[in-house]
Amino acid sequence: YGEDPFLASELVREAITGLQGNLDPRKNVAATVKHLAGGGTSVGGVNHASAEVSERALRSYILPPFQAAIEAGVLTVMPGHNDIAGIPAHASKWLLTDLVKQEYGFKGFYISDMGDVENLKSQLHGVAANQEEAVRMAIGAGLDMHMYSADTTKFVAPLIKLVREKKIPEERIDDAVRRILTVKF
């Protein structure tokens, strides 16, 4: 909605209300705000690239529209392809859980962007040694739903294994399922 954080925040509030606030609940949709956060400031304007942005700049210019969306009751948020200061958005507990879920009070759910859990182990980010580690990092950071995994060995199977091995607490799965089902129902 533009570079001005105040104007963008006001437009986001109205968009969320327009999409989710129909008096006839059969006509509502779950809005998604994306991409959290800083993808537009990535090095060279390249999708998936690093965003070298300070926390002050994030809070002053980039995050206000996301906070406005959360205050307006947005139901889903999609993390960005990029990293912030070397930590991919899909693996950032500070961004997904500490800031947005806890500080901003986000009650909806996170949905990954296509292939971004897998990108944690790819040359794009390279922070995970393998797919199991990528799943552990993303779910541990606060991701609730993986948008795309045609091959269940890439997400579901590692997730089940990690829960059984107690590397991902059942409470984290309960939280994700609760958020998703609350939105669906």
Side-chain angles (χ1 to χ4, degrees), residues 40-129:
T41 63
S42 59
V43 175
V46 176
N47 202 12
H48 293 86
S50 294
E52 291 300 328
V53 59
S54 68
E55 184 177 343
R56 180 180 181 190
L58 273 171
R59 288 180 179 271
S60 296
Y61 305 110
I62 295 169
L63 291 174
F66 290 97
Q67 186 173 7
I70 291 160
E71 290 168 357
V74 73
L75 295 172
T76 66
V77 173
M78 183 177 285
H81 299 298
N82 59 291
D83 67 58
I84 298 171
I87 302 172
H90 281 75
S92 176
K93 184 179 179 296
W94 172 80
L95 181 64
L96 302 183
T97 298
D98 301 343
L99 181 72
V100 177
K101 284 183 177 179
Q102 293 175 354
E103 185 177 326
Y104 291 175
F106 177 51
K107 302 293 184 217
F109 67 87
Y110 285 111
I111 183 165
S112 70
D113 206 338
M114 188 163 185
D116 277 340
V117 172
E118 289 74 21
N119 287 341
L120 296 175
K121 68 177 175 55
S122 75
Q123 291 177 341
L124 289 171
H125 293 302
V127 296

Side-chain angles (χ1 to χ4, degrees), residues 151-182:
D151 179 353
T152 61
T153 62
K154 290 186 177 181
F155 188 76
V156 176
L159 182 58
I160 291 169
K161 181 178 185 281
L162 289 162
V163 171
R164 286 183 177 150
E165 293 174 351
K166 302 197 182 307
K167 292 180 181 175
I168 293 179
E170 283 188 37
E171 295 81 16
R172 173 76 267 280
I173 303 303
D174 291 344
D175 176 62
V177 170
R178 185 178 307 107
R179 288 170 178 275
I180 294 164
L181 292 180
T182 298

